[in-house]
Amino acid sequence: MAEEKSYRPRLPGLDWEKRVRDPIWGEIGITKMETKIVQTEAFTRLRGIKQLSFAYLSFPGAVHSRFEHSIGVMHATDQILKSVKDIDELNMASKDRQLLRLAALLHDIGHPPFSHAMENLFSYHPEIWSEIKEDLPDEFKKFMNLRGKDYGKPRKHEDFSDYIICTDPEIKKIIREWLLETDKNAIKMNEGQIETLIRDVIAKLAIGEDVTTEEVTESFKNLSKIFKGIMSGDIDADKIDYLARDNYYCGLPYNLDVNSLRDQVMINKNGELTLRPEALKFVNTVILARYFLIIEVHQDKWDAFTTAKVVELLNEMLKNDPARANTIFNMFTKWEDAGLIEHLKNSGDKEIKEILSTEYSLREIGKLDYWDTHPYVREAIQIISENEHHIPKMQEDIREVTGQKNLFIHINRVKSPSFDMKVEGGNLLRNEILRGISEESLKNLQIVVYGNSALTSNQQSLKKLEEKIEHLPEQTEQIDGYVKNIEKDLLKKLLAYLAVRHYRQICGDCARDRKILAPDFLLLIMNAISEICVEMKERHDPGDPTRQSIYRIACLVHQDLKNQSIGIHGKIDLNEKEITPSFYREIRKYEQLGLISYARKIELLESEDVMQGDEEKRLVFRFDRRFKLNTYGIEKLEKMHDLQDAVPEYNEYIKLWDMVNASVKKYKPEIENILIKNNHPENDDR
């Protein structure tokens, strides 16, 4: 009788030292080498670092740690590998599988205590790193230089994970012994070669970087490409485990069945992970679970407020700490949550103990919501949320105007899905459910003010506050129209004016760096396209442009600006031939914020769902979307130009805009050609 083929591709076998029971994954096998790694001092530290920072103040079950999450990610990595169709054809060796599992196990080993708080500390106060850079331990500085990284810029935990993996004596000893025991050829390797394998293979896999060293075979380099997709993508192992785990411990009803991916993940001709259409059901579940986890847990008032309080307190304490470089270094490499809590309690702050025990009479004082705001103010809030070092500055402004020193602000936002992962015959941009979640994410944008007492207590203080707001320099005829709908709510009105203030300051910062904000660049390009289209109408009717034609014109102008040493400030990729997910997100973002409009009609277009290897083109009926600036977008550009002389921050910044317009004129024939082709669907993928 023929042996029944397993419903899953087989992975090369491993010798399990033991098995542990996990509430998320059930039974997890752990090898001898993994057992030793888990028992090291560096890894054991993760037992004392909560996965969800201060969420436990509202969700008592959310006390799970980075320790079990790391083991879960290792297991999830295996599960995704097993889901890849024909993975057994890659001839992966046991050693390869163990290397991938090891990298997954170590990916969070450089996490600081209460991760959200520490991440916000350095994104809110990035100047800290440049101030302490020369006082950091010499070994760390040497390592960062070797990696080609600037240790004076804001660092994320990945850099410390990288450092610990490459320098921790216990971890290196275990890996070295494992190499000598499992690979007979490793006996011939000298210490330098072993160091290279740890530094340029295991550590790089752990932090999601490409493996390029010549010390490994070409087949392993190809395998590392696949692993990078498993560890950093729209449905990566890290995301799958933390979503399943965090939802479970917070009592939220979102389950992720990774078994539904069985045979639904493939490897394309470029060696990248590619989803089959049936896998989109699982992707939808992941993205939806992420959205609700953020709005229900990450944006919970106790977590948001306590994080803001701790960030401010730590910043003040570090200013007075003569050994603050070592304190910060130890936070990432030695401290657990308990160490940070003790440090905070020794600060002398009278409120921190009450806050950590939830005795503090916390209340939401008010908020400026997405639905309250004019598109121009929405954009300002969005820009501030992406330039987080302005959040504590805005917090100080609101305290100064109101006279209340106990106010904290938090900007709620949900980052849109990345849409980077490949889908067979198309891409994730075509997934209407994901696009809907992306749009809902943007509508979650709001500034929330927390404190322990009402903003005003009587009519006299209310009148005084109203007078202060009326004398804000931002309150001008050009801006007043943006707040008419909220002028009766003093706090909302104040927040709107302060958002405009800090948007202006960010523009001034960009001017000094010779950079244009990505959304402003996008609006300028679309405005230029509109003007060219009006001129072209007598000869050709190009219609409104598609995303693809806008992208091609943006790339053309961007390259010209780069030649003049002018950059784009923001997370937008303009270096590929075809439209990038980041550009797509920017278009959708500013359509949702109310500055761009689009129309769509049903058209006979070339299908994007052709199977790989199928050269025959198919025509299908689908929506043809065309984008243009709306009245608000045009008005925004015009008003900023009108204010160029009145607002100092705009003076030099608008001059960069003029260079965009000059570049458009320079390439006008090429742009017209792109727009003419715009009306030929067979030449354009929408």
Side-chain angles (χ1 to χ4, degrees):
M1 185 175 179
E3 183 179 345
E4 183 181 353
K5 187 175 181 180
S6 170
Y7 70 89
R8 281 184 172 176
R10 293 186 61 82
L11 296 180
L14 294 173
D15 293 327
W16 306 117
E17 168 87 355
K18 62 180 180 179
R19 295 182 183 274
V20 297
R21 292 292 301 175
D22 180 70
I24 308 304
W25 299 107
E27 194 173 77
I28 296 178
I30 301 179
T31 66
K32 180 180 178 181
M33 189 266 281
E34 292 161 0
T35 301
K36 290 181 178 179
I37 291 289
V38 165
Q39 292 168 347
T40 62
E41 184 177 349
F43 196 90
T44 300
R45 181 181 76 98
L46 298 181
R47 290 183 186 271
I49 298 178
K50 291 183 184 67
Q51 174 80 3
L52 278 176
S53 192
F54 295 106
Y56 72 96
L57 296 175
S58 288
F59 299 87
V63 291
H64 55 298
S65 71
R66 294 276 166 185
F67 181 89
E68 56 261 42
H69 165 65
S70 296
I71 294 173
V73 173
M74 177 182 71
H75 182 73
T77 296
D78 247 9
Q79 299 307 302
I80 298 176
L81 273 175
K82 289 176 182 177
S83 298
V84 179
K85 187 174 175 61
D86 301 325
I87 189 71
D88 46 348
E89 293 180 7
L90 292 179
N91 299 317
M92 190 192 321
S94 295
K95 176 185 172 185
D96 298 333
R97 182 185 178 191
Q98 180 63 87
L99 276 173
L100 303 185
R101 285 172 57 91
L102 174 61
L105 183 65
L106 294 171
H107 82 285
D108 266 355
I109 201 164
H111 247 290
F114 293 110
S115 355
H116 300 321
M118 297 303 295
E119 287 164 359
N120 285 6
L121 171 64
F122 297 112
S123 57
Y124 285 12
H125 303 283
E127 71 281 357
I128 290 174
W129 288 108
S130 57
E131 292 170 0
I132 68 163
K133 62 180 292 186
E134 296 308 327
D135 296 324
L136 288 164
D138 290 338
E139 187 179 7
F140 180 71
K141 291 191 291 186
K142 182 180 178 182
F143 175 80
M144 292 294 284
N145 285 330
L146 183 67
R147 281 298 204 209
K149 297 177 180 178
D150 181 359
Y151 53 87
K153 287 189 175 179
R155 297 263 58 87
K156 293 186 178 294
H157 75 269
E158 285 86 357
D159 288 328
F160 289 91
S161 293
D162 189 14
Y163 171 75
I164 292 170
I165 294 167
C166 295
T167 62
D168 184 84
E170 276 190 289
I171 291 174
K172 288 174 64 178
K173 181 173 182 284
I174 292 165
I175 295 174
R176 183 180 182 279
E177 289 175 350
W178 168 71
L179 283 170
L180 295 173
E181 183 181 328
T182 59
D183 190 346
K184 300 303 179 185
N185 294 325
I187 297 173
K188 300 176 184 178
M189 294 173 65
N190 58 41
E191 287 300 320
Q193 290 171 318
I194 293 176
E195 287 281 337
T196 299
L197 190 66
I198 295 171
R199 183 182 65 242
D200 293 336
V201 177
I202 298 171
K204 286 203 169 186
L205 287 174
I207 62 174
E209 293 185 0
D210 293 323
V211 174
T212 57
T213 178
E214 298 302 320
E215 297 291 327
V216 296
T217 63
E218 198 63 33
S219 63
F220 188 82
K221 285 182 187 176
N222 293 334
L223 190 62
S224 71
K225 253 200 248 184
I226 296 168
F227 182 66
K228 184 179 178 183
I230 291 173
M231 282 300 293
S232 55
D234 293 291
I235 55 165
D236 58 67
D238 185 20
K239 191 179 279 94
I240 289 172
D241 184 83
Y242 87 68
L243 286 174
R245 198 170 298 277
D246 293 357
N247 278 309
Y248 174 83
Y249 282 107
C250 289
L252 302 180
Y254 306 107
N255 297 318
L256 302 177
D257 181 13
V258 76
N259 288 328
S260 64
L261 281 179
R262 185 175 69 226
D263 289 339
Q264 298 305 318
V265 185
M266 301 177 64
I267 303 167
N268 66 18
K269 59 185 178 182
N270 297 320
E272 302 166 313
L273 286 183
T274 302
L275 299 173
R276 300 181 77 184
E278 281 298 309
L280 292 179
K281 295 175 185 176
F282 182 76
V283 176
N284 292 341
T285 306
V286 169
I287 301 300
L288 196 60
R290 172 184 172 272
Y291 173 77
F292 282 109
L293 181 71
I294 293 172
I295 65 171
E296 293 187 40
V297 178
H298 296 180
Q299 293 179 0
D300 170 75
K301 71 175 183 179
W302 275 103
D303 191 8
F305 166 74
T306 307
T307 298
K309 172 69 177 180
V310 167
V311 165
E312 181 174 75
L313 188 53
L314 279 174
N315 186 49
E316 290 301 317
M317 293 176 73
L318 287 170
K319 285 179 182 176
N320 300 316
D321 184 352
R324 60 179 177 157
N326 281 329
T327 300
I328 290 170
F329 183 77
N330 289 337
M331 286 178 182
F332 283 91
T333 57
K334 295 181 180 179
W335 283 22
E336 299 177 11
D337 288 354
L340 181 59
I341 292 292
E342 192 62 31
H343 188 67
L344 293 171
K345 287 181 176 178
N346 290 334
S347 67
D349 186 274
K350 296 178 181 179
E351 296 178 335
I352 192 64
K353 290 182 181 179
E354 287 186 4
I355 292 169
L356 293 173
S357 64
T358 67
E359 294 176 74
Y360 190 78
S361 57
L362 177 63
R363 60 194 296 179
E364 182 184 292
I365 306 299
K367 64 184 175 184
L368 181 61
D369 194 80
Y370 171 93
W371 301 105
D372 297 326
T373 51
H374 185 283
Y376 179 39
V377 179
R378 284 182 194 171
E379 183 193 15
I381 298 170
Q382 179 69 34
I383 294 296
I384 294 166
S385 76
E386 295 170 358
N387 293 266
E388 295 172 313
H389 59 289
H390 275 267
I391 292 177
K393 296 175 183 177
M394 190 173 177
Q395 190 167 271
E396 284 303 313
D397 286 344
I398 195 171
R399 290 173 177 177
E400 182 180 346
V401 175
T402 62
Q404 293 193 23
K405 301 301 180 183
N406 62 342
L407 297 182
F408 289 84
I409 67 170
H410 181 77
I411 298 184
N412 284 338
R413 69 169 178 139
V414 181
K415 292 181 182 177
S416 295
S418 68
F419 299 106
D420 287 326
M421 199 161 188
K422 304 290 187 296
V423 179
E424 187 180 28
N427 55 52
L428 285 177
L429 302 182
R430 301 292 154 223
N431 188 321
E432 292 289 350
I433 294 177
L434 292 191
R435 285 174 16 181
I437 296 171
S438 178
E439 291 168 10
E440 283 303 311
S441 297
L442 289 168
K443 292 172 185 174
N444 182 253
L445 184 69
Q446 56 189 197
I447 306 178
V448 188
V449 181
Y450 295 111
N452 62 355
S453 60
L455 193 62
T456 54
S457 56
N458 53 53
Q459 284 297 117
Q460 186 178 358
S461 60
L462 187 69
K463 183 68 175 174
K464 188 175 180 182
L465 177 59
E466 191 172 12
E467 289 173 355
K468 282 188 176 182
I469 294 174
E470 285 176 358
H471 288 89
L472 289 175
E474 287 74 27
Q475 184 161 337
T476 63
E477 187 178 338
Q478 291 95 334
I479 305 299
D480 283 348
Y482 297 155
V483 298
K484 282 191 179 300
N485 64 311
I486 55 173
E487 59 186 0
K488 291 183 179 179
D489 189 318
L490 290 181
L491 181 58
K492 288 183 178 181
K493 188 176 179 181
L494 173 58
L495 289 170
Y497 282 130
L498 293 182
V500 170
R501 172 184 296 182
H502 286 276
Y503 171 78
R504 291 175 173 179
Q505 291 177 6
I506 292 167
C507 289
D509 295 341
C510 286
R512 283 190 292 274
D513 295 336
R514 288 181 63 80
K515 289 183 177 181
I516 301 173
L517 286 165
D520 287 344
F521 175 73
L522 174 61
L523 297 185
L524 288 169
I525 291 296
M526 294 188 69
N527 191 54
I529 290 172
S530 297
E531 292 175 356
I532 291 175
C533 285
V534 170
E535 295 176 16
M536 291 175 64
K537 277 190 175 178
E538 294 181 4
R539 294 170 285 134
H540 303 278
D541 184 7
D544 293 325
T546 62
R547 280 190 300 268
Q548 189 64 263
S549 55
I550 297 169
Y551 177 74
R552 290 170 184 162
I553 294 168
C555 289
L556 191 67
V557 175
H558 176 237
Q559 185 57 52
D560 190 48
L561 294 177
K562 280 172 65 176
N563 295 336
Q564 302 174 66
S565 301
I566 298 172
I568 307 296
H569 180 71
K571 295 180 180 179
I572 184 169
D573 183 6
L574 294 166
N575 297 309
E576 300 294 331
K577 290 183 180 179
E578 298 300 324
I579 188 169
T580 56
S582 64
F583 187 85
Y584 166 84
R585 289 196 304 272
E586 209 71 15
I587 285 272
R588 296 295 288 183
K589 180 192 301 179
Y590 285 88
E591 185 265 319
Q592 285 297 304
L593 291 177
L595 299 168
I596 297 172
S597 298
Y598 80 90
R600 63 182 186 175
K601 58 182 178 178
I602 195 74
E603 289 279 4
L604 186 63
L605 302 172
E606 184 181 329
S607 174
E608 294 178 338
D609 301 319
V610 178
M611 299 291 284
Q612 285 183 357
D614 185 355
E615 301 301 327
E616 183 181 350
K617 292 183 178 180
R618 275 192 309 127
L619 294 178
V620 296
F621 286 97
R622 58 184 175 82
F623 285 120
D624 175 23
R625 291 178 176 84
R626 302 291 175 123
F627 290 79
K628 65 178 181 179
L629 283 190
N630 61 23
T631 303
Y632 291 124
I634 295 169
E635 182 184 87
K636 186 252 179 172
L637 295 179
E638 290 175 347
K639 285 204 172 184
M640 285 186 69
H641 264 294
D642 292 343
L643 290 168
Q644 182 173 1
D645 295 328
V647 179
E649 293 91 347
Y650 287 170
N651 195 279
E652 293 299 316
Y653 184 63
I654 302 299
K655 290 179 182 178
L656 298 178
W657 287 19
D658 295 337
M659 297 180 79
V660 173
N661 294 327
S663 182
V664 168
K665 290 179 182 177
K666 178 179 176 182
Y667 289 103
K668 188 176 176 183
E670 290 89 341
I671 292 172
E672 287 186 353
N673 189 44
I674 292 172
L675 292 172
I676 291 170
K677 289 183 178 180
N678 186 59
N679 267 348
H680 294 274
E682 67 274 12
N683 297 325
D684 194 66
D685 69 307
R686 288 159 179 74

